[in-house]
């Protein structure tokens, strides 16, 4: 790395020296020609001709040294300014001139951070150093922040950088000209994210705000407005509201299991995505789509979410002209129609309905129409893509570790004899301890990849003995926080391996329980839909364990590959399985109860 930097700076110095010499030499030549120009009879000027290129000839008036273009009048060279400079240049020896140039280049190198990396300098009012790390390419930074690999999945840039720097809790980097700091460790994350609205503030590119909603909980920059929205949107996410949603979730899962049991092989990524998207239109929006409308809804959501990875939106205000922008417009049309229906007919038990009719206890105010729309989109994003990806990764982990899936089946077999096939939130939350730790272990090993949602630093922070200057972006890294957990971390990294490290039992013993775990974020913007996401995953895995046995088709303990680009890591093949009806002795009877 040091050698690469030295080479880059050497090239920069030589380029600057060459360019400056060429600049001076051209002006010296110009001066020599101009010196030959004089005046003719009656003091009329004599014009000297300089050929600057094969297609351009400029004539200079030798009497007043003002430019005259005899061909077009378009070329403007201020020879009156050039001559003094060129005379000074010719009076200096080439050796001295080169020494001056090299000195200027040395100053440029000494000030390289301000010149090549504007806005990255430390705050002079603080003695603490910047976090370790490299800013990469001048003016641009690291263009591979979204880098992923088949062996490890997305988030490779952060894993590789952390390892290269010795696994620091903070490190800096540059992303398209914006200095950023990645923060890991529960203590540090709590310190930083606990200052939301005071020292840090959410800021998003306008194009991304247009795509995902400017007036949602995640986007609003004001503390009082955020608290107001959280109270009213949160009214639709209480344990009571989730309990009422369980029958709808169970119906949706049952339909998916019925369908997959009819196929010899199935891509579980498709099944999990369809499940969560069906939850979106049924429970979140309260729509009543027929079979012909469901594929169009699923496609619209998928195309909209893919806008997260459209780099054009970082630079161009073209949201509405992109595929993602058009998909969002279709979703908004559906939401607006449903809002109008609910205003006419009254509440219906959906999440959207709860947001529309929720009133603030302090003054009776309600969410605006735009706030309802934007928060509906937010819940679709949080409740579909991330939940589906976690379930997809979970299917791979359970397939690679059949002993874990067998324990899960045994727990559900006992419960199935007591609940008559009817699930409740209270049961899933309190009576399924192994199901709970299986989901926790899935989220520990394969959490959100990358740097999370960035915040702008409003006032310089000091974290873990290092400063994060005002104007920087800061984000917390869940993946590295889990990987570097001091309570369970192993030198060879096997605690994060999908085979060696997948041990749900670790959560049942205080002495082996992870100490750093935040799959849903931290602080005022902690995921409001966490209860809904957990309910979706628990209902899905509980019913799957009761009704299905399966084998992985493509992946094995010796061969696991990942998709390079995703929000949460997913297996490259989407977790293809060969399903079959459960081997429970009472499977037929249980199936009839559940389907009924």
């Amino acid at each position: 790395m040091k050698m690469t930097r030295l080479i880059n700076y050497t090239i920069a110095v030589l380029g600057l020296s060459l360019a400056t010499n060429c600049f001076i030499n051209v002006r010296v030549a110009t001066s020599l020609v101009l010196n030959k120009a004089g005046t003719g009879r009656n003091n009329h000027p004599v014009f000297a001709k300089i050929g600057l290129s094969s297609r351009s000839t400029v004539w200079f008036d030798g009497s007043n040294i003002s430019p005259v273009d005899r061909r077009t009048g378009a070329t403007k060279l201020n020879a009156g300014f050039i001559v003094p400079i060129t005379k000074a240049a010719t009076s200096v020896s080439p050796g001295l001139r080169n020494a001056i140039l090299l000195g200027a280049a040395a100053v440029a190198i000494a000030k390289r951070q301000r010149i090549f990396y504007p806005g990255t300098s430390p705050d002079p009012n603080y003695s603490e150093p910047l976090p370790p790390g490299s800013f990469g390419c001048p003016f641009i930074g690291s263009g591979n922040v979204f880098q992923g690999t088949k062996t490890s999945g997305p988030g490779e840039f952060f894993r590789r950088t952390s390892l290269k720097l010795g696994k620091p809790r903070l490190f800096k980097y540059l992303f398209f000209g914006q200095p950023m700091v990645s923060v890991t460790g529960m203590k540090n994350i709590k310190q930083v994210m606990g200052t939301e609205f005071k020292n840090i503030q959410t800021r998003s590119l306008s194009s991304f705000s247009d795509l995902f909603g400017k007036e949602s909980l995640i986007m609003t920059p004001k503390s009082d407005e955020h608290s107001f929205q959280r109270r009213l949107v949160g009214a639709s996410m209480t344990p009571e509201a989730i309990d009422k949603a369980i029958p709808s979730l169970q119906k949706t899962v049952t339909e998916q299991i019925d369908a997959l049991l009819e196929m010899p092989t199935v891509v579980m990524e498709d099944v999990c995505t369809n499940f969560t998207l069906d939850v979106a239109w049924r429970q979140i929006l309260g729509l009543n789509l027929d079979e012909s409308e469901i594929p169009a809804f699923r496609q619209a959501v998928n195309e909209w979410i893919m806008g997260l990875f459209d780099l054009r939106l970082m630079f161009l205000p073209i949201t509405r002209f992109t595929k993602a922008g058009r998909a969002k417009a279709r979703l908004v049309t559906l939401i607006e129609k449903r809002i109008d229906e609910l205003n006419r007919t009254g509440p219906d038990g959906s999440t959207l309905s709860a947001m529309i009719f929720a009133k603030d206890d302090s003054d009776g105010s309600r969410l605006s129409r735009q706030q309802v729309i934007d928060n509906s989109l937010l819940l679709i994003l949080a409740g579909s893509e991330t939940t589906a990806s976690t379930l997809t990764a979970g299917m791979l982990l359970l397939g690679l570790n059949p002993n874990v899936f067998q324990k899960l089946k045994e727990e559900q077999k006992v419960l199935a004899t007591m609940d008559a096939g009817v699930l409740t939130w209270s049961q899933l939350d309190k009576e399924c301890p192994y199901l709970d730790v299986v989901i926790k272990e899935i989220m520990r090993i394969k959490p959100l990849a990358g740097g999370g949602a960035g915040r702008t630093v409003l006032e310089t922070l000091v974290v873990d003995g290092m400063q994060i200057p005002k104007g920087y972006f800061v984000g917390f890294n869940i993946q590295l926080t889990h990987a570097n957990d001091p309570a369970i971390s192993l030198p060879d990294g096997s605690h994060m391996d999908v085979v060696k490290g997948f041990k749900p039992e670790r959560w049942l013993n205080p002495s082996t329980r992870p100490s750093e775990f935040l799959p849903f974020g931290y602080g005022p913007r902690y995921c409001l839909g966490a209860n809904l996401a957990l309910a979706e995953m628990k209902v899905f895995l509980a019913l799957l364990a009761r009704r299905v046995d399966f084998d992985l088709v493509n992946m094995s303990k010796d061969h696991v590959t990942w998709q390079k680009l995703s929000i949460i890591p997913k297996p490259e093949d989407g977790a293809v399985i060969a399903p079959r009806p459960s081997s429970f002795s009472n499977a037929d009877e249980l199936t009839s109860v559940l389907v009924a």
Side-chain angles (χ1 to χ4, degrees):
M1 177 61 71
K2 292 182 178 179
M3 179 60 68
T4 301
R5 290 181 182 175
L6 179 61
I7 293 172
N8 288 338
Y9 292 137
T10 302
I11 292 173
V13 170
L14 293 175
L16 178 62
S17 177
L18 178 61
T20 310
N21 272 290
C22 291
F23 178 84
I24 292 175
N25 289 337
V26 167
R27 280 151 182 76
V28 170
T30 303
S31 177
L32 293 175
V33 173
L34 289 176
N35 286 336
K36 296 179 181 180
T39 57
R41 190 175 6 178
N42 297 325
N43 291 325
H44 286 294
V46 174
F47 292 95
K49 182 174 72 172
I50 303 175
L52 297 182
S53 72
S54 60
R55 292 175 296 175
S56 177
T57 300
V58 180
W59 292 84
F60 289 88
D61 184 332
S63 61
N64 57 17
I65 319 298
S66 63
V68 180
D69 188 334
R70 292 296 188 187
R71 182 168 56 85
T72 64
T75 303
K76 303 292 182 182
L77 295 177
N78 192 348
F81 173 74
I82 293 175
V83 169
I85 295 179
T86 53
K87 287 183 178 179
T90 54
S91 64
V92 177
S93 67
L96 178 59
R97 187 175 68 223
N98 288 337
I100 294 173
L101 288 173
L102 290 173
V107 172
I109 291 176
K111 301 293 184 180
R112 63 186 180 275
Q113 184 163 332
R114 291 185 179 180
I115 295 174
F116 298 120
Y117 306 100
T120 63
S121 298
D123 188 331
N125 297 315
Y126 290 78
S127 60
E128 291 80 3
L130 290 172
S134 170
F135 288 126
C137 180
F139 306 109
I140 298 176
S142 302
N144 58 349
V145 171
F146 294 126
Q147 180 186 20
T149 65
K150 286 188 176 183
T151 56
S152 302
E156 179 65 15
F157 167 80
F158 296 95
R159 289 190 297 271
R160 188 183 68 251
T161 302
S162 176
L163 187 62
K164 183 186 300 183
L165 297 173
K167 299 182 180 179
R169 290 294 188 175
L170 284 74
F171 64 81
K172 67 180 184 293
Y173 61 101
L174 194 69
F175 183 60
F176 285 102
Q178 174 63 52
M180 309 187 78
V181 170
S182 176
V183 179
T184 64
M186 288 286 287
K187 178 182 178 182
N188 295 332
I189 291 172
K190 287 181 178 181
Q191 178 185 345
V192 173
M193 297 302 159
T195 66
E196 183 86 45
F197 306 115
K198 298 177 182 178
N199 291 337
I200 63 172
Q201 184 180 78
T202 293
R203 194 187 83 181
S204 177
L205 296 171
S206 60
S207 295
F208 282 110
S209 297
D210 290 340
L211 187 60
F212 295 100
K214 295 180 179 180
E215 297 190 35
S216 69
L217 273 167
I218 200 171
M219 293 297 182
T220 180
K222 298 180 180 179
S223 175
D224 54 349
E225 181 62 32
H226 178 268
S227 298
F228 165 74
Q229 287 198 43
R230 195 168 183 88
R231 288 194 300 272
L232 271 62
V233 177
S236 65
M237 293 292 162
T238 62
E240 295 77 16
I242 297 300
D243 190 53
K244 292 178 181 179
I246 296 298
S248 176
L249 297 181
Q250 184 167 351
K251 177 182 179 181
T252 305
V253 174
T254 299
E255 292 173 353
Q256 294 296 330
I257 291 177
D258 288 344
L260 73 86
L261 283 174
E262 295 178 358
M263 295 181 281
T265 61
V266 61
V267 180
M268 287 306 296
E269 181 181 357
D270 295 340
V271 173
C272 297
T273 300
N274 290 342
F275 160 57
T276 57
L277 291 180
D278 287 354
V279 170
W281 65 260
R282 274 181 174 157
Q283 179 56 41
I284 295 178
L285 301 183
L287 296 172
N288 186 23
L289 302 180
D290 59 41
E291 289 299 320
S292 63
E293 295 173 311
I294 294 174
F297 178 82
R298 293 171 177 171
Q299 181 180 0
V301 174
N302 287 331
E303 290 178 353
W304 168 60
I305 290 175
M306 287 308 296
L308 283 170
F309 305 106
D310 191 342
L311 293 181
R312 294 176 300 171
L313 298 181
M314 298 188 65
F315 307 103
L316 303 172
I318 58 171
T319 301
R320 61 176 178 164
F321 303 111
T322 64
K323 180 182 289 188
R326 292 191 294 271
K328 181 207 173 182
R330 296 197 298 272
L331 294 174
V332 170
T333 297
L334 287 174
I335 295 171
E336 289 185 319
K337 288 181 178 179
R338 188 64 187 140
I339 291 174
D340 293 338
E341 291 175 1
L342 289 169
N343 283 329
R344 290 194 304 269
T345 61
D348 69 348
S350 67
T351 304
L352 176 63
S353 171
M355 287 191 289
I356 292 173
F357 296 104
K359 293 183 179 180
D360 193 37
D361 292 337
S362 61
D363 57 7
S365 57
R366 294 181 175 182
L367 295 169
S368 70
R369 185 182 182 91
Q370 192 61 50
Q371 288 171 339
V372 170
I373 293 171
D374 288 354
N375 281 297
S376 296
L377 292 171
L378 174 63
L379 291 175
I380 292 172
L381 174 64
S384 58
E385 170 63 24
T386 54
T387 304
S389 296
T390 300
L391 284 173
T392 302
M395 291 301 299
L396 172 68
L397 292 170
L398 292 172
L400 293 172
N401 300 272
N403 60 313
V404 173
F405 189 50
Q406 184 59 37
K407 290 180 182 180
L408 186 60
K409 292 174 72 68
E410 291 170 359
E411 180 180 73
Q412 290 303 310
K413 182 178 180 179
V414 173
L415 291 172
T417 62
M418 300 186 299
D419 61 19
V422 179
L423 302 179
T424 65
W425 177 241
S426 176
Q427 175 203 53
L428 293 169
D429 190 41
K430 298 177 182 178
E431 299 176 29
C432 301
Y434 199 70
L435 174 62
D436 184 64
V437 298
V438 164
I439 291 175
K440 284 182 177 177
E441 187 71 348
I442 294 170
M443 293 191 293
R444 182 190 71 81
I445 288 184
K446 292 300 175 185
L448 177 74
R455 312 287 202 273
T456 300
V457 179
L458 303 178
E459 297 294 338
T460 298
L461 299 170
V462 175
V463 181
D464 202 24
M466 290 169 278
Q467 64 163 286
I468 307 176
K470 177 181 178 180
Y472 270 56
F473 261 32
V474 62
F476 59 90
N477 194 298
I478 297 174
Q479 190 177 63
L480 292 179
T481 295
H482 291 181
N484 297 332
D485 184 348
I488 62 171
S489 179
L490 296 174
D492 63 356
S494 60
H495 62 294
M496 298 298 288
D497 184 80
V498 292
V499 177
K500 298 177 182 178
F502 186 62
K503 299 177 179 179
E505 292 79 9
R506 73 170 78 242
W507 293 90
L508 299 174
N509 189 333
S511 64
T512 60
R513 187 176 300 156
S515 62
E516 306 210 338
F517 182 65
L518 38 83
F520 296 108
Y522 180 82
R525 298 190 192 274
Y526 177 86
C527 179
L528 192 62
N531 283 341
L532 177 60
L534 288 172
E536 290 180 68
M537 290 188 281
K538 288 185 176 184
V539 170
F540 186 91
L541 292 179
L543 295 184
L544 185 86
R546 296 183 184 199
R547 295 189 56 192
V548 180
D549 285 329
F550 71 94
D551 296 308
L552 295 174
V553 173
N554 300 320
M555 302 292 180
S556 67
K557 292 184 178 182
D558 299 322
H559 174 73
V560 176
T561 55
W562 300 90
Q563 297 177 25
K564 294 181 180 181
L565 191 64
S566 60
I567 298 174
I568 287 176
K570 292 182 287 188
E572 186 178 20
D573 70 340
V576 179
I577 67 167
R580 57 187 181 275
S582 174
S583 59
F584 280 170
S585 59
N586 62 339
D588 292 338
E589 179 182 347
L590 178 60
T591 298
S592 64
V593 172
L594 291 175
V595 173

